[in-house]
Every structure is written in structure tokens, then in C-alpha cells.
Amino acid sequence: MRIAVVGSGISGLGAAWLLSAEHEVVLYESATRFGGHTNTVTVREGDRHVPVDTGFIVFNDLNYPHLSSLFRHLGVASAESDMSFAASLGEGEIEYAGDNLLKLFAQPANLFRPSHWRMLADILKFNQRAIDWLDQQAGKRGGGEQALTLGQFLHHHGFGMELSERYLLPMAAAIWSAPMARILDFPAISFLRFFRNHGLLQVNERPQWRTVTGGGREYVRRLIEPLGDRAIAGIGVEGIRRTPAGVLVRDSNGHEAEYEQVVLASHADQSLALLEDADEQERRVLSAFRFQANRAWLHSDSRLMPRRRRVWASWNYLADRRTREDSRVAVSYWMNRLQPLASERNYFVTLNPAQRPDPAVTWHCVDYEHPVFDLSALRAQEHLPAIQGQRGLWFCGAWTAYGFHEDGLRSAVNVCNAMGVHAPWQQGVADSRRRLAPPAPAVEALMEEG
């Protein structure tokens, strides 16, 4: 078949690479580079060039089975990474890191703060309560407690402000690049399942995180190479409509081409905007997804890190105020520790800083959009199978699940499976076609209750 793939993030790259083994595939990318949220920036240091990732950074074998398998298949090298977390609240008034006991009390005043001790006690209590609650919900048909948002769950179980505003919400905001207040609207059951699956409800035996050696651009290059000149950067798609003969794609140069199938690997709202003949069901499902704009700065300005050097961690949540009133997430990633980088200069990637980094040590700035993981998105995800493959259109992207790289690739694998193409590693990975199956009764009950 002749197939168009729109968008070159991990979903589009994965779909185009898989489908091109059996079909004629054309990949459209409106930006001048391929990769989407995989964006490696090269910074020059004298005669050296340092590759720094500014979007996708880390993965692990346990929670990223498709991505890990893809990397092994492509021969992409990786190195061990570190996923420590720190919080700096109230312009440094309260600071701690979770590496070890010493860093929890790296700010000596924390030893004498009853609120800090309450937070630590509540973390242990929350971890165990979340595990017990998830076990209790297993096999239930939805509704009741399963319809709770995270905010309602915390209130229902009597957790204090210290747990939510100094630990749980800052960590979640850093993970999802979403404001703390919006995190409270996340569905509790999905939020807690994510934390459990990623080892965040336990102190020990967490998965070993890894990062692509040389930056994520290394895997992007390997996926693009087989497509040759059928991978088109700098030319986007401006309109799509179905015809009796297939699907007509109009690009930004005004050129029209007809395909038998089209895979939209763009954000849900972008995909909907391209459809000139969207039906009511497509509009209802795709319009339910929301996205959060975040500006990322690559820099070396240490003012956008915790004030106390000994508190610095891989992920550093920053807040001018001590409460959830902050409208947007501000987090600094210490790239030397995450990638790691062979450089004596510190590199940071900061999302939405309260102040711009020093221009003299600012290397790059880029805007990203991240999906908002709320009840509306959860319901729409379960209705997504109903619009897949209708009149030759398919949809994939990280927004179809939790919003991460693994979700984006899994969604591409799902679409390819439905089109009769399977990934070479799928025998070693649990069946990923479940997302194209009808919603489970428990989810239907949840949607009805909600």
C-alpha cells in the first residue's frame, strides 16, 4: 500500500519504520528536523561538541519494553542514568533531595521542622496505602472509589499538605510537565498504577534508568535512514480529506497526493485540525485531549537550580511559592548527571523558569507541548479504538496513554499490528494490541459513573 505518516516524533518514526518494511511510506514533518520531543542540541566547547538532550532523556527496560527492544534491534548504545529528585520551595526556603538520608536533611533546618518529619512519615504511609488500595480495586467494575481524582483520594485518606505540596505534586509535576494544581485532577487509579509500575511506591529496588549514548538523535538517525528521500522535513500537512479512491493529503506547498492509508502521529488537537471531513465521533474523541505548553531552556545558569549545591539532583522542582498556586511547572534537569556528559561545564534544561537564564550561558530554547492526563483524556482513550482505521485514517501518539516515549511507540506498534505489520521484537513483549480492543466493562462502568 501507499501510506502517509504525519509527524516524526517517536510514534511517527516508529510507524513509518515498521510499515516501510512492507509498504511504500512517505513521512511528513513540518519542522526542519526529525524527532519531535527527541531533540539533541549540540553545544560547542572549543574543539569539542557536546550532545545534550532537551526533550526525551531516559528509559528503562521494565517500563519501556518496546523502546528498549527497538534500541536493541537498532544497535543503539545506552548508558546508566540517575533519576534522583529534589525540591526547592519558596525561593529556597525549603529544600531537600531524595538520594539518601543526608540529602533529606541537607538543609539543617529540616531536622527541626515537624512539617518535614510529617512529610517523611506520610510518604511511607502513602506508599503503603496506595498499594493496598490498588489491590482492593483489582477486579472491581469501576465507579465508587475508582472514579476518584488524585485530589479526592488524598483528601479521602487524610493526607496532609506536606505530602502533597512538598513531595507528591512536585514530583508528579516534574514527571508530566504539568502544573501542580492540574495534577490533582488526574484519575487516582491511573496515577497510582503509574507510580506503582515505575517503582515510585517503594524506597528500594527501583528500575535502572538508562540514556542513549550520544543523545536521542542516534536512534532517530537509524529510523530515518531506511526511508531515504521519502522522509520529508520542512514540509507539513495542511489538510486531509477522504475520497472514494483513498485519502487526499495536501501539504504546506499546496501539493496534493493520494494514499490508501494515513497515520496521524501528531497531537490529537493538531490531527483534528487537519481533518477537513471529520465526523462527529472523531471530533468528540480527539477534542477531549488537552495539551500543556512548556518552554525549555538549555543553559548553564546555576541560579535555576536549588540554592544549596549539595541538594542538586537529576530532577529539580523549583517553586517561588510554597503552595500549589504556581500556575506552571518549573523544573531543572541536571543533564551532566542524567546523560551523563563528558564535560566540566554544567548543563541544565529548565522548563518554564521564573526568570530567564543568563543569555551569556544560554545555548538553546524550544517550545514543547505535553498531554494533560485527566479524566477526560482517560475516557477518550478508551473510545479511540472506535475511530481507528475508519475511512483509511489511523491515530497514534504518546497522548493515547500516559504521555511518555514508550506510550508513543506502543501506539505506533498497535496501529501497525492492526494494518498487518508486526514489530520484529514483539514475541518478547506482551501483546500490545489491547489498545485496539473494545473498552473493558470496568472502564465502561467508570465512564457511565463519571
Side-chain angles (χ1 to χ4, degrees):
M1 290 187 294
R2 181 169 162 80
I3 302 172
V5 177
V6 180
S8 73
I10 182 59
S11 305
L13 289 174
W17 182 79
L18 287 169
L19 292 170
S20 65
E22 299 183 24
H23 303 287
E24 180 186 349
V25 176
V26 175
L27 174 65
Y28 292 90
E29 172 54 59
S30 60
T32 55
R33 64 170 183 86
F34 298 108
H37 282 209
T38 299
N39 185 4
T40 307
V41 175
T42 301
V43 181
R44 186 168 182 174
E45 291 184 6
D47 296 332
R48 300 173 61 249
H49 293 83
V50 181
V52 187
D53 284 323
T54 65
F56 163 71
I57 304 169
V58 293
F59 68 99
N60 67 65
D61 288 342
L62 177 64
N63 303 117
Y64 293 68
H66 284 286
L67 194 67
S68 299
S69 298
L70 171 66
F71 289 170
R72 284 191 290 269
H73 184 83
L74 296 174
V76 174
S78 65
E80 290 188 358
S81 184
D82 172 90
M83 287 290 281
S84 54
F85 174 77
S88 178
L89 310 175
E91 297 184 327
E93 181 182 348
I94 297 174
E95 290 189 335
Y96 72 89
D99 296 38
N100 52 52
L101 193 60
L102 289 176
K103 290 195 175 184
L104 283 171
F105 296 96
Q107 182 182 6
N110 287 340
L111 281 166
F112 309 101
R113 284 191 175 117
S115 61
H116 195 68
W117 288 99
R118 283 195 300 271
M119 180 192 75
L120 297 179
D122 262 3
I123 290 173
L124 298 177
K125 178 183 174 183
F126 171 80
N127 289 348
Q128 188 58 56
R129 185 69 192 97
I131 292 172
D132 293 343
W133 186 79
L134 287 172
D135 289 342
Q136 293 167 9
Q137 303 310 311
K140 292 186 178 180
R141 289 184 55 83
E145 286 195 46
Q146 289 201 6
L148 291 176
T149 64
L150 177 63
Q152 292 168 335
F153 175 88
L154 294 174
H155 176 75
H156 180 73
H157 293 281
F159 289 108
M161 174 273 291
E162 293 83 7
L163 171 77
S164 61
E165 296 184 355
R166 299 185 188 180
Y167 170 74
L168 189 63
L169 297 185
M171 179 180 288
I175 291 172
W176 276 283
S177 303
M180 285 172 61
R182 187 166 284 177
I183 297 293
L184 293 171
D185 294 330
F186 283 14
I189 193 164
S190 296
F191 179 96
L192 297 179
R193 281 174 179 164
F194 176 90
F195 261 54
R196 185 180 195 175
N197 292 340
H198 284 73
L200 298 175
L201 296 180
Q202 58 199 52
V203 177
N204 300 312
E205 299 181 5
R206 293 187 174 182
Q208 175 61 59
W209 291 86
R210 306 190 67 82
T211 186
V212 175
T213 303
R217 65 183 180 184
E218 294 300 319
Y219 89 76
V220 172
R221 178 174 56 81
R222 285 170 168 81
L223 291 176
I224 285 293
E225 282 177 349
L227 297 174
D229 59 6
R230 289 179 288 111
I232 307 170
I235 299 180
V237 172
E238 293 197 345
I240 295 173
R241 69 178 185 274
R242 273 69 63 102
T243 71
V247 184
L248 200 64
V249 174
R250 186 179 71 258
D251 66 30
S252 54
N253 287 339
H255 177 260
E256 290 187 339
E258 199 158 58
Y259 298 90
E260 294 173 70
Q261 306 284 326
V262 172
V263 178
L264 285 164
S266 43
H267 289 328
D269 56 346
Q270 296 170 337
S271 297
L272 180 58
L274 295 178
L275 300 187
E276 297 176 352
D277 58 354
D279 61 30
E280 182 180 350
Q281 190 171 35
E282 289 169 338
R283 285 193 295 269
R284 184 171 64 251
V285 172
L286 297 175
S287 64
F289 295 92
R290 296 184 296 154
F291 296 83
Q292 169 74 36
N294 293 296
R295 175 161 292 182
W297 298 82
L298 171 60
H299 63 93
S300 299
D301 188 347
S302 60
R303 295 178 304 163
L304 299 182
M305 288 288 283
R307 291 190 174 185
R308 296 162 181 82
R309 178 64 173 75
R310 58 186 176 275
V311 174
W312 286 14
S314 298
W315 294 14
N316 303 269
Y317 181 85
L318 311 170
D320 291 339
R321 296 180 291 276
R322 294 170 53 182
T323 68
R324 69 185 64 155
E325 295 173 1
D326 305 273
S327 60
R328 303 180 75 183
V329 59
V331 58
S332 284
Y333 302 92
W334 188 10
M335 300 310 302
N336 303 65
R337 188 167 174 176
L338 277 165
Q339 288 200 248
L341 300 176
S343 174
E344 295 183 1
R345 176 192 287 164
N346 279 315
Y347 288 97
F348 313 111
V349 172
T350 301
L351 297 186
N352 308 319
Q355 59 178 327
R356 286 190 176 187
D358 182 351
V361 288
T362 296
W363 318 114
H364 191 68
C365 179
V366 59
D367 291 321
Y368 294 116
E369 285 194 346
H370 297 90
V372 175
F373 179 55
D374 56 14
L375 188 57
S376 174
L378 179 66
R379 292 170 175 168
Q381 285 170 3
E382 299 302 337
H383 285 289
L384 184 59
I387 66 172
Q388 292 284 27
Q390 298 301 310
R391 295 186 290 162
L393 280 188
W394 303 86
F395 304 90
C396 60
W399 51 271
T400 63
Y402 288 106
F404 299 99
H405 238 54
E406 174 70 12
D407 302 313
L409 180 57
R410 180 185 288 112
S411 72
V413 170
N414 291 341
V415 164
C416 293
N417 286 177
M419 297 172 72
V421 176
H422 291 78
W425 60 83
Q426 275 191 261
Q427 287 186 344
V429 176
D431 184 9
S432 71
R433 287 171 288 181
R434 62 186 182 276
R435 281 263 174 204
L436 291 183
V443 178
E444 290 177 334
L446 171 61
M447 292 187 287
E448 290 170 4
E449 289 281 342

